[in-house]
Amino acid sequence: MIYDSLALHLRKLSCLAFLLLCACWPASRHQESLHSTAERSFTLGVVQKQIYRGMSQSEVAEALGSPNIVTRDQNGNESWVYDKIATEASYSSDRGGVGGAGGVGGVPGTVLILGIFTGNYDRAAGAAASTQRTLTVVIKFDHNGRVGDFSYHSSKF
């Protein structure tokens, strides 16, 4: 019975410690959890590494996913446009403090000295970050459905 009670208290303390640690994560740690990995993995480096002339449309779709825009020119050749815009904003704050109180008493009928001693410390800090990235990729296919040419534009601010 004592061991069950002790185990329950230890679990509660472990949960409390975990919550306190999570509450003190910096802004960069919170920012990591904002978007899915798949959305963050669509980068200029992926395009440069995986897309090449002669690829089939299915290979392009497997590498980059579905395009945002599909057009067909006067010769019947398709162009796929991937237009990605990502804005990430994060804010993190940390607040902590220490406080205490104490007193001294005497026996009734004698001199009674009572005092309250307090000390307090409070600190607050925070950070905010915002980033916007754009990536536009245009892939032009030939009459056989193979990549004939591709271009891209990337920006980050």
Side-chain angles (χ1 to χ4, degrees), residues 74-149:
Q74 65 273 13
N75 297 327
N77 298 329
E78 279 190 6
S79 292
W80 290 4
V81 179
Y82 294 86
D83 195 18
K84 304 291 183 181
I85 300 172
T87 302
E88 293 183 351
S90 62
Y91 178 76
S92 178
S93 66
D94 182 21
R95 183 170 210 86
V98 176
V104 177
V107 178
T110 63
V111 177
L112 178 63
I113 302 172
L114 182 62
I116 297 177
F117 306 98
T118 64
N120 198 4
Y121 166 75
D122 190 13
R123 181 181 75 86
S130 178
T131 302
Q132 187 165 20
R133 294 181 297 122
T134 66
L135 176 58
T136 303
V137 180
V138 179
I139 301 175
K140 297 180 181 183
F141 295 96
D142 61 19
H143 60 280
N144 294 323
R146 301 269 179 195
V147 174
D149 196 17

Side-chain angles (χ1 to χ4, degrees), residues 50-67 69-72 76-82 139-148:
Q50 295 186 4
I51 305 302
Y52 55 89
R53 287 186 175 94
M55 284 183 78
S56 68
Q57 289 180 332
S58 63
E59 290 172 322
V60 172
E62 186 176 321
L64 301 180
S66 299
I69 302 168
V70 177
T71 61
R72 190 175 298 273
N77 298 329
E78 279 190 6
S79 292
W80 290 4
V81 179
Y82 294 86
I139 301 175
K140 297 180 181 183
F141 295 96
D142 61 19
H143 60 280
N144 294 323
R146 301 269 179 195
V147 174

